[in-house]
């Protein structure tokens, strides 16, 4: 009996060793693959980004997938390497990316679209911080606003802004002290180390699949002469042409899935308004004209915002922004309500992204 | 700290395990227990250290009350110890009531009395329902003379032992305290470590790969869409039914697996519940330790089966009213509990009448009743529940989505595409079909994780299988999710 137990003990010990060895080996291989491929430039900056920035500054178009960290790093390189001062810039998320130079005053303006995917208020501040540090604040800042940037539980993109964290900190240091400012950072970012969260990507499925996809398609960032490419294209004005499914897709093809829970999660009250107002106040006091841009939502989604208490906060966000614009004399363009401009379902690529025609029409009367 | 976190898997658990057995091997028995207690408190405090004094206070209070009851011995058990027991139970319930039910109580007063008392917005401390119930059971058994002398260290470890602390299983002192003292348990048992690891990773896989996938479709249906077609509504309700099972049983597997590595066997909580042929069987297979607690500390004290029939039925209803309320401070939970109570009542009458039905019909009825019940359990409001239920019976919307007719007009085939059927619920309609085809039968027909872990053999095939399960689960770790039962 004792011998039997002893042999079972030994075989289990051997099995355990084997398990740990193979398991750790697999993890190591996965980590090495992700570290080496690193399509989003999480572990080391994408060496090609400076080239992308220079190409864009020199009026060329660049196509190809870019990770969210790289997007922010690219903004830094563009601002640092651009020789002059911009008249107008746009800040915002993917919903604002289709705002193009030619839509604004017939293109007779030195415009650059600094929108980044999954932007939150910290991103806005950090990007303005890029211009501030170089001493070239633009004359006008168009701020594309998504309702969920005021949701403290919005988990979309809540960490990417840290790529530009030093610029953000410098900006916040100039905000009024006391009750205002810095509140959102404390409330939405978890007390975790940047480095740790980055290195978690080494053994993350989503990142592994992204890297695999990246390798499979052999996609690198490349210069293109035409927008007729089924890829993400960044134009010289910083605006973006999405891949064909988003660029030309209609709701019948994509299917309405409602508002993504990840951004409307527990969105019951407005957060971060003080930080946002601090930014606007900073711009105003430095002589920068502010334009608040509200890209519309899909008509069915907006209907849900009207009818469903879970999303009704959207209406409150717009009311808050309109009041803010009135009180401070900011220009207001657009509305979350697509009906105000007569937009229909066909004008949208999905629940929250309008086609470029939407942006074009919004800016027809902008002077 | 969450079981499904890098910190727990790669740092906390290995470190605590190794140091525990190193101390035990060198015969530092007390030190090894202190280490385990410290680790458990760290595990609890990781989420929010503010609640550490709360759990510490609760342990000290119950320890002292238990000691005072024990001191009365046989003679004093009648009146003084009963008073102490009442104080102890009321104290525990007051704590639970304040943190869990205060806002529910206030909002009901506001609704009934048309007043506007401000809500307290108290954050529910993790695991409070579990450690409170564990300690109430302990006090009751102490008053009944079922508890022998115990030390502060053993008691604290029994309450806080990290594998069961946050979401159960609800443990009983009689099955736990002796295990901490058993000498054989002080030596690392590689068989237990190996099967514990297997059970842990089965649980992690159930949680991250299965439950969280179903969660997307359930969340979209319950929280996002305003109206559901018949097919969507059934996909949504079944998604939640499977999500809840794989989530909670996955958590329990991780708890049992972690504990087994320390040679401590926690009671099983799930035994293939969706295989049940009647509602009584379901409650013998679902959240077994809660059913056991409710039977021993609510149903039997109310009179159990030793009272007239009408009283038994009333006891059943009261017990399940409490079960509903235990799960959450909301009327949807109460309704869910009462639905189960009423069905148990009907089942009892049916059994007494001597009628019977074929097994497959019994399974079908039971499973669908449970599925409908979970709709109330999941919904945040009655409106959300009714939306799904109306969809399931096709009151609100057509059988098929509107855009299916557009597709049919343009398609060469008369068969609708999967995206037309489920496209609104998630990005990958094929995944919905695959997940149901694989994991619905798996939850009913096949061996459950406890059976798999019990029959663990150190073979090469099992090694390959479990390495793949572990590797895949770890890759899924990056996605944010919390366990459903943390909120109860």
């Amino acid at each position: 009996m004792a011998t039997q137990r002893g042999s079972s003990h030994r075989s289990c010990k051997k099995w355990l060793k084997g398990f740990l060895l193979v398991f750790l080996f697999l993890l190591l291989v996965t980590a090495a693959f992700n570290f080496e491929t690193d399509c989003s430039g999480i572990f080391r900056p994408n060496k090609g980004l400076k080239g992308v920035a220079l190409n864009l500054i020199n009026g060329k178009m660049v196509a190809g997938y870019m990770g969210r960290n790289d997007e922010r790093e690219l903004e830094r390189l563009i601002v640092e390497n651009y020789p002059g001062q911009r008249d107008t810039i746009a800040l915002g998320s993917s919903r604002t990316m289709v705002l193009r130079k030619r839509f604004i005053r017939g293109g007779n303006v030195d415009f650059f679209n600094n929108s980044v995917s999954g932007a939150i208020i910290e991103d806005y501040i950090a990007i303005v911080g890029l211009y501030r540090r170089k001493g070239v604040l633009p004359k006008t800042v168009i701020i594309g606003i998504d309702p969920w940037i005021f949701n403290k539980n919005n988990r979309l993109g809540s960490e990417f802004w840290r790529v530009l964290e030093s610029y953000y900190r410098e900006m916040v240091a100039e905000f009024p002290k006391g009750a205002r400012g810095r509140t959102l950072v404390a409330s939405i970012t978890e007390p975790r180390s940047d480095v740790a969260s980055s290195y978690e990507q080494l053994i993350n499925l989503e990142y592994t699949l992204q890297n695999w996809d990246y390798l499979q398609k052999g996609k690198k960032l490349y210069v293109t002469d035409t927008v007729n490419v089924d890829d993400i294209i960044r134009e010289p004005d910083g605006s973006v042409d999405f891949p064909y499914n988003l660029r030309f897709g209609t709701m019948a093809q994509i299917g309405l899935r409602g508002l993504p829970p990840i951004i409307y999660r527990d969105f019951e009250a407005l957060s971060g308004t003080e930080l946002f107002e601090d930014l606007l106040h900073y711009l105003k006091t430095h002589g920068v004209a502010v334009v608040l841009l509200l890209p519309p939502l899909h008509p069915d989604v907006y209907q849900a915002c009207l009818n469903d208490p879970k999303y009704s906060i959207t209406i409150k966000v717009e009311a808050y922004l309109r009041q803010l614009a009135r009180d401070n004399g900011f220009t207001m363009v657009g509305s979350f309500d697509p009906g105000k401009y007569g937009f229909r379902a066909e004008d949208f690529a999905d629940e929250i992204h309008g086609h470029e025609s939407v942006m074009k029409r919004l800016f027809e009367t902008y002077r | 700290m969450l079981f499904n976190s890098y910190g727990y898997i790669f740092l906390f658990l290995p470190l605590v395990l190794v140091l525990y057995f190193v101390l035990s091997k060198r015969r530092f028995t007390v030190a090894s227990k202190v280490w385990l207690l410290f680790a458990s408190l760290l595990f609890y405090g990781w989420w929010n250290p503010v609640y550490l004094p709360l759990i510490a206070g609760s342990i000290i209070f119950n320890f002292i009350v238990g000691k005072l009851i024990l001191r009365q011995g046989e003679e004093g058990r009648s009146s003084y110890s009963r008073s102490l027991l009442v104080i102890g139970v009321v104290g525990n319930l007051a704590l639970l009531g304040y943190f869990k039910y205060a806002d529910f109580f206030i909002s009901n007063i506001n609704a009934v009395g048309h007043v506007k008392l401000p809500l307290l917005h108290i954050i529910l401390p993790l695991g409070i329902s579990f450690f409170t119930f564990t300690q109430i059971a302990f006090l009751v058994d102490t008053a009944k003379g079922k508890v022998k002398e115990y030390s502060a260290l053993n008691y604290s470890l029994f309450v806080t032992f990290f594998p069961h602390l946050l979401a159960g299983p609800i443990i009983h002192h009689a099955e736990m305290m002796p295990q901490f003292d058993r000498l054989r348990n002080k030596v690392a048992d590689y068989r237990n470590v190996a099967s514990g690891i297997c059970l842990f990773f089965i649980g992690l896989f159930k949680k991250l790969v299965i439950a969280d996938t179903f969660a997307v479709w359930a969340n979209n249906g319950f929280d996002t869409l305003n109206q559901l077609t018949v097919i969507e509504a059934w996909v949504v309700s079944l998604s939640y039914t499977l999500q809840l099972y794989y989530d909670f049983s996955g958590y329990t597997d991780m708890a049992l697996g972690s504990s087994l590595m320390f040679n401590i066997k926690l009671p099983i909580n799930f035994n293939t519940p969706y295989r049940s042929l009647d509602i009584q069987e379901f409650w013998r297979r679902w959240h077994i330790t809660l059913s056991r607690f409710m039977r021993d500390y609510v149903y039997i004290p109310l009179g159990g089966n030793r009272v007239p029939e009408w009283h038994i039925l009333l006891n059943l209803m009261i017990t399940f009213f409490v079960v509903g309320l235990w799960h959450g401070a909301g009327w949807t939970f109460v309704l869910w509990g009462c639905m189960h109570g009423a069905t148990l009542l009907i089942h009892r009458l049916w059994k007494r009448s001597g009628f019977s039905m074929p097994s497959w019909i019994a399974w079908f009825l039971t499973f669908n009743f449970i599925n409908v019940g979970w709709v109330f359990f999941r919904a945040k409001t009655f409106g959300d529940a009714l939306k799904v239920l109306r969809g399931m019976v096709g009151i609100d919307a057509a059988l098929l989505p509107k855009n299916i007719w557009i597709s049919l007009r343009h398609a060469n085939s008369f068969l609708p595409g999967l995206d037309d059927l489920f496209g609104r619920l998630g990005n990958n309609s094929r995944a919905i079909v695959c997940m149901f085809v694989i994991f619905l039968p798996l939850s009913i027909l096949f061996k459950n994780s406890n059976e798999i872990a019990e029959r663990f053999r150190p073979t090469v095939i099992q090694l390959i299988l479990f390495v793949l399960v572990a590797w895949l689960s770890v890759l899924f770790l990056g996605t944010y999710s919390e366990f459903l039962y943390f909120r109860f």
Side-chain angles (χ1 to χ4, degrees), chain B residues 217-410:
Chain B
W217 309 323
N219 292 344
N220 276 344
F222 275 101
D223 301 336
T224 309
L225 297 174
N226 289 319
Q227 209 176 50
L228 299 165
T229 66
V230 175
I231 291 173
E232 284 168 346
W234 278 94
V235 169
V236 166
S237 68
L238 287 171
S239 291
Y240 185 66
T241 296
L242 292 174
Q243 181 203 348
L244 187 61
Y245 169 64
Y246 282 111
D247 186 286
F248 192 22
S249 71
Y251 176 86
T252 308
D253 290 344
M254 284 185 261
L256 266 66
S258 299
S259 182
L260 190 58
M261 292 181 217
F262 292 86
N263 298 325
I264 304 290
K265 286 187 180 165
L266 294 179
I268 65 162
N269 233 0
F270 292 91
N271 184 16
T272 326
Y274 293 153
R275 194 186 287 170
S276 308
L277 299 182
D278 60 60
I279 196 70
Q280 194 178 21
E281 186 186 353
F282 173 74
W283 280 102
R284 284 199 201 113
R285 290 171 174 271
W286 177 273
H287 206 171
I288 296 166
T289 56
L290 177 70
S291 307
R292 184 179 69 174
F293 179 91
M294 288 296 167
R295 183 196 63 204
D296 293 347
Y297 301 100
V298 180
Y299 182 69
I300 292 177
L302 284 170
N305 290 342
R306 296 160 314 203
V307 289
E309 185 65 19
W310 68 268
H311 201 165
I312 292 176
L313 301 180
L314 181 66
N315 289 347
L316 272 175
M317 284 305 293
I318 293 171
T319 305
F320 274 85
F321 174 84
V322 176
V323 168
L325 208 55
W326 179 85
H327 276 91
W331 288 110
T332 48
F333 287 110
V334 173
L335 178 67
W336 168 79
C338 290
M339 276 171 69
H340 275 261
T343 312
L344 267 163
L345 197 142
I346 293 165
H347 169 69
R348 188 178 172 85
L349 296 175
W350 171 271
K351 253 180 33 180
R352 276 169 62 93
S353 72
F355 293 129
S356 65
M357 65 173 76
S359 299
W360 68 270
I361 297 180
W363 172 83
F364 183 79
L365 288 177
T366 307
F367 182 79
N368 278 293
F369 167 75
I370 292 161
N371 184 41
V372 168
W374 290 141
V375 172
F376 287 99
F377 190 88
R378 165 63 177 79
K380 286 178 185 159
T381 62
F382 281 109
D384 284 344
L386 288 177
K387 173 187 75 181
V388 177
L389 292 174
R390 288 165 78 98
M392 286 166 81
V393 292
I395 291 177
D396 276 342
L399 179 69
L400 300 170
K402 260 190 282 179
N403 59 2
I404 208 163
W405 306 115
I406 302 167
S407 298
L408 283 175
R409 246 179 270 142
H410 296 96

Side-chain angles (χ1 to χ4, degrees), chain A residues 5 8-20 22-24 26-28 30 34 155 190 192 196 199-206 208 251-261 265-266 300-301 303-305 307-308 310-311 351, chain B residues 6 9-10 184 188-195 197-198 201 216 219-220 222-226 380 384 387 403 406-407 419-420 423-427 456-460 462-464 466-468 470-472 474-480 482:
Chain A
R5 193 180 295 159
S8 163
H9 186 80
R10 272 194 300 277
S11 55
C12 283
K13 192 175 177 181
K14 205 171 147 189
W15 188 93
L16 260 176
K17 276 184 186 169
F19 173 89
L20 291 175
V22 181
F23 176 54
L24 292 176
L26 269 182
L27 289 183
L28 271 175
T30 313
N34 284 325
R155 299 191 69 85
E190 291 163 11
R192 50 191 286 186
Y199 280 90
E200 284 169 5
Q201 302 301 318
L202 285 173
I203 47 172
N204 176 285
L205 180 75
E206 210 178 329
T208 309
M251 296 313 298
Q253 288 165 315
I254 293 167
L256 183 66
R257 285 182 287 274
L259 283 161
R265 187 170 176 264
D266 300 328
D300 289 356
V301 169
Q303 200 58 39
C305 296
N307 299 333
D308 192 333
K310 282 194 291 282
Y311 308 126
E351 295 86 351
Chain B
Y6 297 100
I9 295 171
F10 293 110
R184 200 193 297 165
D189 181 330
Y190 289 107
R191 184 175 181 79
N192 280 347
V193 176
S195 40
I197 284 179
C198 293
F201 281 114
V216 174
N219 292 344
N220 276 344
F222 275 101
D223 301 336
T224 309
L225 297 174
N226 289 319
K380 286 178 185 159
D384 284 344
K387 173 187 75 181
N403 59 2
I406 302 167
S407 298
D419 281 344
D420 297 317
R424 301 196 311 160
L425 295 176
N427 287 326
F456 166 77
R457 297 277 176 278
T459 61
V460 175
Q462 294 228 17
L463 188 137
I464 294 168
F466 282 112
V467 162
L468 286 176
W471 175 66
L472 202 58
V474 167
L475 289 189
F476 269 82
L477 272 179
T479 49
Y480 170 82
E482 62 184 35

